[in-house]
Amino acid sequence: MSQKTARRGVMLICAALCGALTASLNCWSVFQKPLMAAYGWSPQEVSFAYTLVIALIGVSGPIGGWLQRRWSASTIMTIAGVGFGLGWFLTGFASSIPVLYVTFGILVGVCDGIAYNLSLAVCTRWYPDKRGFANGIALAIMAIYPLFTAPIANMLIEQFNVSLCFNIVGIFCIVCFIILARVLKLPAADYKPEGWEPPVEVVDTKVKSYTSPEMLKTPFFWVMLLFFGMVGCTGVTMLSTVSLIGQTQAGMDAGMGALMVGIFGIANAIGRVGLGAISDRFGRFQTMFGAVAVTAVIHLFLYSSANTPMVFIAESCVLGICFGGIMAIMPSLNADAFGPGNMGQNYGFMFIGYTLASFIGPQVAANALATTGSYSSAFPILGVLCIVGIVLLAIALFFFKRMKAKEQAA
């Protein structure tokens, strides 16, 4: 079955913009310090709100995949998007930690997971010929989003207050989701881009689309889930605290700290497009090994001494590129391993590894800040977790090859 290429380009952009709205979470580091100042909350309490969001994203991802087989993409995205915006809006009235955890942690987290999962599924399903590239483009748009929103959020907080800023973000997200969701549609299961045929070697290896129960029985899935949990720690930590790290370690003011969120977002976007495309050409595992290794070296030996703005920005950009590449390659690798048919739900389960990272990374950073007044002691720990991730990736490659050999022999 063939459909016009122009149509899938529109789907890619609209899905990516919906995903970008969920990336409002990446501005969280701009909100942390004002929340602590306004309500006297501790770094651990505020940081756990972000941890809870990421945890619920992982839990709700498979639910989003399940819904994709029953409801239209437009309906799912509209409901999830309105819920996401409502969570931000209600957080503006949260004056206690329990309310913060319900409105931001639970409501935003659940709706974010459904919307994020669907946006990636739309991109992957419309681009079976260029999965790494399509995911890279979509994730790059998501990563760039904080470049514009973080400084605006900081300005609103300074002009008004942190509560009103939450209200404004919520209303903006609701309106944008309603508009963009009207366009979204998943292609037919047998969709092929015009003029494209699957490579002969792919046809010969009898590509199989695993159901989620089948996937959960494979050792490859569990090793990759643990891998995601280890290497995701550095990225989720940077997304939630890069502004604060810049202020406490590199002497940045609040305005420069907010801009740092955008700078990290640009680097993240470059990695998602660049390393995603490189993985299409040179291989998912090879590209992933390189990204994780560079991340480990920076955290183990360099980042704790990045105490001037320029050095901090340079090293943060490298980390952003590597993290972006990891996030772009993971959904493509999932589709390579388990087929595109149930990709939405399957990747939702694998994304639980990122949920694991959300419990480890931000809390390691928050505890370091609370006990030492600096984030420096957290970085070697994150580096060691990356080394563990490299070992897990090598094991996963072994299981991947064995799984594909078994499919070919069947």
Side-chain angles (χ1 to χ4, degrees), residues 215 218-232 284-285 288-289 326 329-334 337-338 347 349-354 356 389 392-400 403:
M215 178 187 71
T218 66
F220 174 78
F221 166 79
W222 292 103
V223 175
M224 285 302 296
L225 185 145
L226 291 175
F227 164 80
F228 208 0
M230 296 298 102
V231 302
R284 315 284 187 216
F285 285 97
M288 188 76 87
F289 273 119
I326 292 167
I329 295 168
M330 285 299 296
S332 300
L333 189 54
N334 182 275
F338 302 114
Y347 186 63
F349 278 106
M350 189 169 284
F351 199 81
I352 292 174
Y354 194 69
L356 174 64
L392 289 170
L393 188 61
I395 296 171
L397 178 57
F398 167 78
F399 284 126
F400 178 84
M403 185 171 67

Side-chain angles (χ1 to χ4, degrees), residues 2 9-10 28 56 64 72 107 134 137 167 186 247 249 265 284 286 333 350 368 385 406:
S2 175
V10 172
W28 180 244
L56 268 298
S72 71
L107 182 55
I137 290 291
N167 298 151
L186 286 167
Q247 293 177 59
Q249 180 170 305
R284 315 284 187 216
Q286 293 87 336
L333 189 54
M350 189 169 284
L385 292 177
K406 186 179 294 185

Side-chain angles (χ1 to χ4, degrees), residues 315-332:
E315 293 183 10
S316 297
C317 285
V318 176
L319 287 175
I321 290 171
C322 292
F323 174 63
I326 292 167
M327 294 302 292
I329 295 168
M330 285 299 296
S332 300

